[in-house]
Amino acid sequence: MYNPTIESMPLDKLRQLQSERLKTMLQRMVDNVPFYRHLLREKGIAPGDIKGVDDLAKLPFTKKSDLRDHYPYGLFANPMSEIRRIHASSGTTGKPTVVGYTENDLNIFDEVVARSLVCAGAKPGMKLHNAYGYGLFTGGLGMHGGATLLGMAVIPVSGGMTDRQLTILQDFEPEVMCCTPSYAQTLAEECRKRGIDPKELAVKFAILGAEPWTETIRSQVEAGLDVTATNIYGLSEIIGPGVSQEDFQEKGSGSYVWEDHFFPEVVDRDTGEPLPYGQEGVLVFTTISREAFPLLRYWTNDICSIYYDANAKRTHIKMSAIKGRADDMLIIRGVNLFYTQVEEIIDDMDFLVPNYQLIVTREGTMDAVEVSCEVGDGVNHEDDSLAQQLLQRIKNTIGLSMKISLQAPGAIPRSQGGKLQRVVDRRIMA
Ligand code: DLL
């Protein structure tokens, strides 16, 4: 553990700490952020009405549209003279979401990333191959700061330039690497193509996040790079990477949410009502200790569940892997569809590998999905019986008929360093 006092704090103490932090934050919001001052006044809520985190459900949500409406700095709670860094996440449409950090916020960012690194298997003295993009994206600089605080030597490779990444992995001998899971797939595949024996690489741990991924991708990356791969989750609005992290010795049981800083709730996608632990819904965060960019019940749009794990080393709550984003959910002939549902089926079929795309088109008034997926080495992609098997399985499991187009190995675009687009939406063009 990086900070045992906090990471294994008894739950009643943790609730007290969270409640104190929430009350302080609410007062700061009302004092310094006109948007929240008006919002709470409109709802008839004074900061004093909120006694602690148990009262959170009385408070309104903050949505991405609120951030856009106050672009770029309208929700900052500190004057610019106290801001030390600005990051932004590029939306698929329109202006980016801009977030600010005070010095104290950056210290918290470093600490939660340092905790996450230890959770993933990293130790002081190790080298981190950091292949998250450096720049406005929080991944590169976020991991960098945490690793520096932990006492690691950071190799700031950033994303892309796969040849150079492989040379660095071979020659600089980093024990830990971090990048998106789809880019880790690319690196694993390139090692195989070039005859690089992963056992000869020093790298032991891979910290993967910034996009949804599945157990099959984990197996593929772990075998292809000879690493233990864990999940890191985060979003720029809340801080960046390091909102939650999976422990390398508790793989598959979910990721610890650093809830002394980021208070999580899971709510019903339609009604906004908080859901019981273990039930899947929209993940919502309240940033109880952020200074420059405090957010009340921020609607992340990410779909998962949260739960306490009695067998866990730490006391903090865990979250399941993200199934998808509510705004990425496709509604095809009335059926809700996340691309990860198709991925799970692909994972289950021996003759396929999880290199795939879903292509959404409109035929007349109906939306249709084509699954374009690679077959494994040595499998004939033109064998129609294989396409039929996949079609049938999707029909039986999801209840939808999809066009299947099996591809030869290597045909589907790979991640060139960043997040990979799994869904190609051609409806707008149609
Ligand atoms: O992706 C921060 C990050 C950097 C996380 C590096 C992990 C590693 P944004 O660009 O603001 O920030 O995108 C945030 O990415 O709301 C999720 O939809 C998705 N996401 C992030 N981590 C995961 C993950 C960074 N582990 C959005 N699994 C979030 C699934 C993830 N989705």
Side-chain angles (χ1 to χ4, degrees), residues 1-190:
M1 271 180 238
Y2 178 75
N3 190 340
T5 326
I6 293 285
E7 290 171 49
S8 52
M9 188 177 247
L11 275 191
D12 55 336
K13 287 245 162 58
L14 191 55
R15 288 287 174 271
Q16 254 173 22
L17 176 74
Q18 291 166 327
S19 294
E20 285 315 313
R21 287 185 170 171
L22 172 66
K23 286 191 280 182
T24 310
M25 187 195 74
L26 279 174
Q27 192 57 57
R28 285 192 68 247
M29 281 176 151
V30 168
D31 292 344
N32 301 340
V33 188
F35 164 73
Y36 280 119
R37 188 182 313 136
H38 298 140
L39 185 67
L40 292 183
R41 193 181 296 151
E42 229 173 67
K43 306 272 172 203
I45 301 165
D49 298 341
I50 302 301
K51 306 291 176 224
V53 285
D54 288 344
D55 290 333
L56 257 180
K58 296 179 188 162
L59 295 166
F61 294 109
T62 308
K63 298 264 174 93
K64 192 151 186 131
S65 54
D66 296 318
L67 273 50
R68 266 194 225 115
D69 292 347
H70 295 86
Y71 173 85
Y73 304 134
L75 295 184
F76 282 19
N78 290 68
M80 200 48 79
S81 58
E82 291 167 14
I83 302 294
R84 292 293 167 270
R85 200 191 294 166
I86 293 168
H87 277 292
S89 77
S90 49
T92 39
T93 49
K95 297 263 168 76
T97 303
V98 180
V99 299
Y101 304 75
T102 61
E103 193 174 336
N104 202 30
D105 290 330
L106 289 174
N107 291 339
I108 291 171
F109 197 1
D110 290 347
E111 145 120 34
V112 291
V113 172
R115 280 188 213 174
S116 301
L117 282 160
V118 173
C119 217
K123 291 196 173 100
M126 288 182 171
K127 297 179 283 303
L128 175 70
H129 178 111
N130 186 4
Y132 284 119
Y134 278 65
L136 283 178
F137 176 56
T138 48
L141 281 169
M143 296 307 290
H144 188 114
T148 308
L149 177 68
L150 180 60
M152 300 179 78
V154 187
I155 309 169
V157 204
S158 198
M161 296 210 261
T162 304
D163 280 335
R164 194 177 62 175
Q165 303 265 355
L166 293 176
T167 306
I168 290 171
L169 279 171
Q170 285 178 293
D171 297 350
F172 291 22
E173 301 181 335
E175 296 87 349
V176 188
M177 63 180 286
C178 57
C179 61
T180 58
S182 56
Y183 196 51
Q185 281 183 291
T186 303
L187 291 173
E189 193 171 28
E190 288 302 318

Side-chain angles (χ1 to χ4, degrees), residues 1 10-11 53 57 77 117 130 184 202 235 245 247 256 260 283 296 298 325 328 355:
M1 271 180 238
L11 275 191
V53 285
L117 282 160
N130 186 4
L235 59 166
Q245 168 71 46
D247 186 291
Y256 287 107
D260 53 318
L283 184 61
L296 191 56
Y298 183 66
R325 293 180 54 78
D328 281 348
N355 292 323

